[in-house]
Amino acid sequence: MLMLKGIAKGFPGVRALNDVDFEARSGEIHALVGENGAGKSTLTRVIAGVHQPDAGTITFDGQPTVWKGPGDAKRHGVHVIYQEFVLFPHLSVAENIFIGHERRNRLGLIDHRRTRADAKALLERFGIDIDPRSRVRDLSVADQQMVEIAKALIHDVKLLILDEPTAVISGREVDVLFERLRRLRDAGVAIVYISHRLEEIFALCDRVTVLKDGGFVASRPIGDVTRDQLIALMVGRNLAELFPTRRGPKTPGAVVVEARDIDVPGRVRGASIALRAGEITGLAGMVGAGRSELALALFGALKKTGGEVFVDGRPVDIGSPRRAIELGIGLVTEDRKGQGLAMLLDVAANVSASTLPEFTRSGLFDHRREATVADEAIASFRIACRGPGTPVAVMSGGNQQKVIVARWARTSTRLLILDEPTRGVDVGAKTEIYRIMQELADRGVAILMISSELPEIVGMSERVVVMREGVVTGELGPGEITEEAVVELATRRMAG
């Protein structure tokens, strides 16, 4: 369906693509992978007609092609679904699907009955169970994504590109998305699937193409490459080098924060966990196990109705995040953009956000000191940006995450909780975040890492606590931590 040969694209001071070959076949799901900066987004925009290539050729549906713009590519059947949805929340599902292509009667007026009927038929055709009369603002994120896909399907879609489609969904919602993508593939649509989640690549895709530093690395049938080999192609190093070298045997540090019999209504039941200085503890479990809720209760951001928290052996009342910060406890949230970063502000403002009184003297804010602290964080955490004044909104996901970690590293003298710390970042950025976690542990900080990625849990944790349905089902120590052992505890039903 699509064949690119020798594609090159440059911008002032940057060579984004250099001699890239790529093809997508009808009735195939083709993964496009690579670290941030590998060229995936630029290549997508070339395919979609947003950018004209500086060199190379595009063949689409057997014909040499030069797109005049995104509208031209769309008319020929190329559709892209980006991470950020383009929907009108106050309009109905049917109105969103047909916006710009409204169904009209003989008088030229919008025929709402026909619009709803056509939307219903389209949704049913692909097994999407959504009422076309529903307001988009009332839908789950997963269903909003289905509306985006349906918008593309009103056209004669030949090539569908999805950019990180599971960044905002999880669990059963991912399974439903995959089922619908397979239906499209079986109907003859060519699908390009872009994701950092390698387990999804192996579960869904038929082939994979790897880009690195704007260049083509390899294209393989998915059955001909292992996870370790794919990582090596993406980053130029083996999986064993992804995680920091484990420190030698040592006596565990003192317990700095301990939770006993924590209850959060409907979410956590009688959960206990002890966190030791200088130790990385993994908190594992399936989606909905109560991991994030336990962390939020420890941080004072979620009200608990039972249990106690001890800091350095003394009972404390952590009734708010402010109190947690005063006690040297920090939390890197799962939702980087929604809860972690002030997206309209720069690096300096985000790094200083948890310690604003430190920069205030006699009612005046010391921006110079703030910039100095941000410069130190940029160097220490290897944050790729132009300086303290760089808006975080223009930075890659991995560097945004390092900004958040840098903020909390300044205040987290006892415990730093990281909830899905590498979600949505590339493999290279993961390695950097793992290094930072290990360095903080080496300073004596207790680390609690919540992760849904089993290789991450096994590769980084010195101890693993596992939850299921709000209950702690077990704990694994050195020599016991394997993916199989974690899964067994995560699926174990507790008596009573």
Side-chain angles (χ1 to χ4, degrees), residues 29-30 32 53 69 80 134 144 192 202 276 339 347 353 355 370 407 415 452 456 462 472 475 488:
I29 302 177
H30 192 139
L32 181 62
V80 182
S134 299
Q144 289 181 24
V192 177
F202 287 95
R276 299 180 174 92
Q339 298 177 340
V347 171
T355 54
E370 182 189 53
R407 174 204 299 164
L415 169 64
S452 300
E456 187 168 83
E462 294 159 290
V472 172
E475 181 177 312
E488 195 279 325

Side-chain angles (χ1 to χ4, degrees), residues 336 341 346-352 370-410 428-429 432-433 435-436 439:
R336 179 170 62 240
L341 290 168
D346 58 22
V347 171
N350 274 278
V351 169
S352 67
E370 182 189 53
T372 299
V373 168
D375 270 326
E376 293 170 354
I378 290 167
S380 177
F381 293 92
R382 302 178 191 173
I383 301 169
C385 64
R386 296 190 302 273
T390 304
V392 295
V394 304
M395 298 166 64
S396 70
N399 284 298
Q400 289 177 347
Q401 190 75 341
K402 285 191 276 185
V403 169
I404 303 174
V405 175
R407 174 204 299 164
W408 289 110
R410 302 190 67 247
E432 281 292 294
I433 291 170
R435 175 190 63 80
I436 292 167
E439 288 180 358

Side-chain angles (χ1 to χ4, degrees), residues 2 21 45 63 83 108 122 137 142-143 155 160-161 178 254 263 270 295 302 309 319 325 359 369 463:
L2 172 75
D21 295 344
R45 291 186 176 98
Q63 299 296 319
Q83 290 185 51
L122 178 65
R137 66 187 174 207
D143 281 341
H155 307 281
L160 181 65
I161 304 173
F178 285 6
D263 287 327
L302 196 61
V309 177
I325 293 169
F359 303 96
R369 169 151 173 71
R463 194 162 49 91

Side-chain angles (χ1 to χ4, degrees), residues 210-337:
V210 181
L211 301 183
K212 180 175 175 57
D213 298 328
F216 172 84
V217 175
S219 187
R220 308 267 176 82
I222 201 68
D224 291 353
V225 63
T226 66
R227 185 176 187 274
D228 291 15
Q229 291 168 341
L230 188 55
I231 289 175
L233 290 170
M234 291 168 63
V235 302
R237 54 183 178 271
N238 295 321
L239 180 62
E241 300 169 332
L242 181 61
F243 302 105
T245 302
R246 284 283 185 91
R247 292 166 291 175
K250 63 177 178 63
T251 302
V255 174
V256 291
V257 177
E258 182 180 5
R260 298 180 190 169
D261 302 320
I262 298 296
D263 287 327
V264 176
R267 301 184 182 187
V268 179
R269 294 182 289 126
S272 299
I273 188 170
L275 302 161
R276 299 180 174 92
E279 183 178 65
I280 298 176
T281 302
L283 185 55
M286 304 300 183
V287 172
R291 300 166 302 167
S292 297
E293 289 79 8
L294 177 58
L296 289 168
L298 276 173
F299 190 62
L302 196 61
K303 183 176 176 57
K304 60 183 177 61
T305 56
E308 292 183 283
V309 177
F310 297 80
V311 174
D312 293 337
R314 298 187 302 275
V316 296
D317 178 19
I318 305 180
S320 69
R322 178 189 293 272
R323 179 60 177 145
I325 293 169
E326 291 171 352
L327 291 167
I329 300 172
L331 170 65
V332 175
T333 61
E334 178 182 11
D335 184 357
R336 179 170 62 240
K337 293 184 178 180

Side-chain angles (χ1 to χ4, degrees), residues 25-100:
R25 302 169 185 166
S26 298
E28 174 187 75
I29 302 177
H30 192 139
L32 181 62
V33 302
E35 299 182 80
N36 288 335
K40 305 186 301 294
S41 295
T42 304
L43 187 65
T44 297
R45 291 186 176 98
V46 167
I47 296 171
V50 177
H51 296 322
Q52 294 294 325
D54 300 330
T57 61
I58 301 174
T59 302
F60 185 77
D61 204 10
Q63 299 296 319
T65 301
V66 178
W67 303 128
K68 298 175 183 177
D72 190 22
K74 189 173 289 188
R75 282 189 294 273
H76 282 81
V78 178
H79 294 266
V80 182
I81 297 176
Y82 297 99
Q83 290 185 51
E84 304 297 332
F85 301 151
V86 185
L87 296 171
F88 295 89
H90 62 288
L91 297 182
S92 70
V93 168
E95 288 167 327
N96 269 276
I97 290 174
F98 289 104
I99 201 152

